[in-house]
């Protein structure tokens, strides 16, 4: 899947995460900022990387501002932002698990 | 066959709120309903759908019944909501604005297709229909009997009173609809759920309405705030006197069965099978929520 336009999903409210995606020609750039970076930074990055890999996102810019979201919320917001900004024809639910 | 699952409280949660989606289980309602319809703005339908899809798969929801209210299938959102709910593992799909039995049949056909595609056991997704119009009330019996997957039908007051060209008041405006929906549910041997009570600060009014619907025979009520759960459960809890009598009835029925007797008697009087069934239900509710305080 390819990101073709700027898009975002989520909020900066507690227990949520704001995800912004933008197209770019270079390799995939992921920026993660989190209020719980020290405790869960590694886990958040793992969830972000896994979710983007399943969506086959290999280029573009992805910015994740976490406010203490659960893994399932991070996945949902990332997927929503990518689907909003991506070239999607028909939704393959298996990659959203 | 009438279900033994208690469904007194069905707590509405906006599908767009991640904080509530991930913590609502702590309130222990009988069922949790993730709402993708009225509680979600048009521009957040896609994000809420994904939040609910993932929240459904949280381990904390394995031991609590999950319901997803989808948008009507006639909208562009409804079919996608249904995909997310069935694939996410929702126990029950709540169909809004059900006017005819065909609406339920159409929903069931779509659910079967998704179950087959995603490998979920066919028949494992249950359904409930919300009746929100004069047409729905008039067709309630056919709707309630439209699918073996239906676990219940619910009256939704807001749209119904608008359709009836009236407004919410002391309950008189819902009298016919409540009775019609309840009778339809009982004909089909499924559960009946009453409307939400939206004034959170009117505890007295809430309890008055709960007492009315409990006495009418409703299984429970849709709720919009966790504060209403304990009040509702307590109102539905049997009194100590009712529990004591139910225990005696069940004990007499057990003894009659052990003795190979076809007739149950208590204090020299015959006890009919429906009385035994009612006593068992009283004890189930008492086990879940104790004795009324």
């Amino acid at each position: 899947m390819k990101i073709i336009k700027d898009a975002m999903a989520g909020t900066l409210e507690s227990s949520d995460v704001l995800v912004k995606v933008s197209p770019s020609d270079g390799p995939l750039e992921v920026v993660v900022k989190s209020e719980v970076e020290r405790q869960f930074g590694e886990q958040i990055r793992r969830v972000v990387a896994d979710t983007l890999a399943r969506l086959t996102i290999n280029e573009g810019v992805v910015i994740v501002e976490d406010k203490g979201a659960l893994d399932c919320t991070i996945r949902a917001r990332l997927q929503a932002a990518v689907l909003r900004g991506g070239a999607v024809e028909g939704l393959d639910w298996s990659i959203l698990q | 066959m009438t279900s033994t699952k208690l469904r007194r409280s069905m707590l509405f949660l906006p599908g767009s709120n991640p904080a509530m989606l991930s913590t609502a289980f702590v309130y222990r309602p009988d069922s949790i309903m993730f709402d993708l319809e009225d509680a979600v703005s048009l521009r957040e339908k896609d994000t809420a759908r994904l939040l609910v899809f993932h929240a459904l798969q949280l381990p904390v929801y394995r031991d609590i019944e999950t319901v997803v209210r989808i948008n009507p299938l006639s909208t562009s959102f409804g079919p996608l909501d249904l995909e997310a709910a069935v694939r996410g593992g929702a126990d029950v799909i709540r169909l809004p604005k059900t006017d005819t039995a065909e609406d339920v049949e159409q929903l069931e056909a779509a659910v079967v297709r998704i179950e087959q595609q995603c490998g979920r056991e066919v028949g494992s997704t249950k359904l409930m229909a919300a009746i929100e119009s004069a047409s729905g009330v008039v067709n309630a019996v056919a709707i309630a009997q439209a699918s073996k997957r239906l676990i219940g039908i619910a009256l939704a007051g807001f749209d119904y009173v608008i359709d009836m060209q009236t407004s919410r008041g002391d309950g008189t405006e819902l009298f016919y609809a409540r009775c019609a929906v309840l009778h339809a549910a009982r004909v089909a041997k499924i559960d009946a759920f009453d409307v939400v009570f939206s004034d959170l600060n009117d505890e007295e009014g809430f309890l008055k309405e709960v007492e009315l619907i409990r006495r009418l025979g409703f299984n429970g009520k849709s709720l919009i705030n966790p504060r209403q759960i304990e009040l509702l459960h307590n109102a539905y809890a049997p009194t100590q006197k009712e529990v004591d009598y139910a225990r005696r009835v069940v004990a007499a029925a057990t003894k009659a069965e052990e003795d190979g007797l076809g007739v149950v008697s208590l204090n020299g009087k015959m006890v009919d099978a429906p009385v035994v069934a009612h006593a068992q239900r009283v004890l189930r509710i008492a086990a879940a929520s104790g004795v009324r305080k």
Side-chain angles (χ1 to χ4, degrees):
Chain A
M1 197 180 296
K2 190 174 167 66
I3 297 167
I4 57 168
K5 62 180 180 186
D6 291 348
M8 57 193 281
T11 71
L12 291 175
E13 291 172 17
S14 177
S15 301
D16 203 350
V17 57
L18 182 67
V19 178
K20 298 175 190 168
V21 300
S22 309
S24 84
D25 293 331
L28 177 63
E29 183 187 347
V30 179
V31 178
V32 175
K33 300 175 201 164
S34 174
E35 286 189 342
V36 289
E37 170 75 40
R38 197 173 290 179
Q39 303 97 314
F40 300 110
E42 197 177 321
Q43 169 68 9
I44 294 167
R45 283 184 174 76
R46 199 158 43 229
V47 170
V48 170
D50 178 65
T51 306
L52 292 172
R54 283 168 180 265
L55 292 166
T56 62
I57 298 295
N58 300 312
E59 52 190 59
V61 178
V62 177
I63 299 171
V64 177
E65 288 188 63
D66 172 54
K67 295 290 177 181
L70 295 181
D71 290 359
C72 64
T73 302
I74 297 171
R75 283 189 195 282
R77 295 309 199 188
L78 261 172
Q79 290 167 351
V82 168
L83 291 174
R84 283 176 168 184
V88 183
E89 285 181 26
L91 193 52
D92 177 3
W93 285 91
S94 66
I95 63 170
L96 302 179
Q97 291 294 334
Chain B
M1 189 183 156
T2 306
S3 164
T4 56
K5 158 90 177 112
L6 283 180
R7 293 192 183 92
R8 299 158 297 177
S9 51
M10 188 168 287
L11 180 65
F12 270 76
L13 291 177
S16 52
N17 186 322
M20 291 179 76
L21 290 180
S22 53
T23 58
F25 66 94
V26 301
Y27 301 113
R28 307 309 302 173
D30 292 330
S31 309
I32 285 189
M33 202 190 68
F34 302 110
D35 188 14
L36 294 174
E37 199 210 12
D38 290 347
V40 178
S41 67
L42 289 176
R43 63 180 192 157
E44 293 300 334
K45 294 287 188 191
D46 57 336
T47 60
R49 184 181 303 126
L50 285 166
L51 282 173
V52 168
F53 172 68
H54 287 284
L56 285 167
Q57 299 170 59
L58 285 173
V60 292
Y61 288 119
R62 278 187 197 140
D63 66 344
I64 188 162
E65 185 172 70
T66 53
V67 182
V68 177
R69 178 164 77 166
I70 62 170
N71 285 279
L73 290 176
S74 57
T75 67
S76 60
F77 311 119
L80 290 170
D81 294 345
L82 189 61
E83 291 273 354
V86 175
R87 290 171 184 271
D91 295 312
V92 182
I93 306 298
R94 175 167 166 148
L95 183 67
K97 300 178 176 59
T98 313
D99 290 335
T100 65
E102 287 73 33
D103 293 341
V104 177
E105 290 161 4
Q106 184 194 5
L107 171 66
E108 181 168 21
V111 169
V112 169
R113 179 186 54 76
I114 299 167
E115 285 174 337
Q116 287 169 337
Q117 284 176 354
C118 73
R120 183 170 171 170
E121 183 190 343
V122 173
S124 62
T125 313
K126 303 302 178 193
L127 309 178
M128 66 178 293
I131 291 175
E132 313 187 22
S133 68
S135 295
V137 170
V138 169
N139 294 323
V141 175
I143 290 169
Q145 295 179 302
S147 167
K148 285 191 165 53
R149 293 179 186 238
L150 280 168
I151 55 100
I153 52 176
L155 178 63
F158 186 70
D159 286 30
Y160 172 74
V161 294
I162 290 174
D163 196 35
M164 293 301 293
Q165 301 179 14
T166 181
S167 57
R168 284 303 308 272
D170 64 359
T172 310
E173 72 286 354
L174 295 177
F175 181 70
Y176 178 76
R178 276 181 168 142
C179 294
V181 166
L182 186 55
H183 277 78
R186 294 297 169 255
V187 167
K189 307 273 188 257
I190 58 176
D191 291 346
F193 308 100
D194 189 47
V195 301
V196 298
F197 187 88
S198 53
D199 187 351
L200 295 178
N201 296 319
D202 184 6
E203 189 175 306
E204 190 184 339
F206 174 72
L207 289 173
K208 195 174 162 193
E209 185 164 285
V210 169
E211 181 58 14
L212 171 70
I213 61 125
R214 187 185 71 81
R215 289 177 66 84
L216 280 172
F218 277 91
N219 295 79
K221 195 167 178 60
S222 301
L223 305 177
I224 52 166
N225 191 291
R227 276 161 49 193
Q228 296 174 324
I229 296 171
E230 198 176 331
L231 293 170
L232 177 74
H233 286 184
N234 185 55
Y236 264 78
T239 62
Q240 187 63 56
K241 193 176 165 188
E242 288 169 331
V243 171
D244 292 343
Y245 179 69
R247 282 198 182 121
R248 288 201 299 275
V249 168
V250 170
T254 305
K255 185 164 188 319
E257 197 175 331
E258 285 169 0
D259 295 345
L261 299 174
V263 178
V264 180
S265 68
L266 181 64
N267 300 331
K269 290 200 303 200
M270 196 179 90
V271 179
D272 291 333
V275 176
V276 177
H278 177 72
Q280 288 166 334
R281 179 173 157 73
V282 166
L283 295 183
R284 270 201 309 278
I285 297 175
S289 53
V291 173
R292 198 180 308 166
K293 294 169 191 144

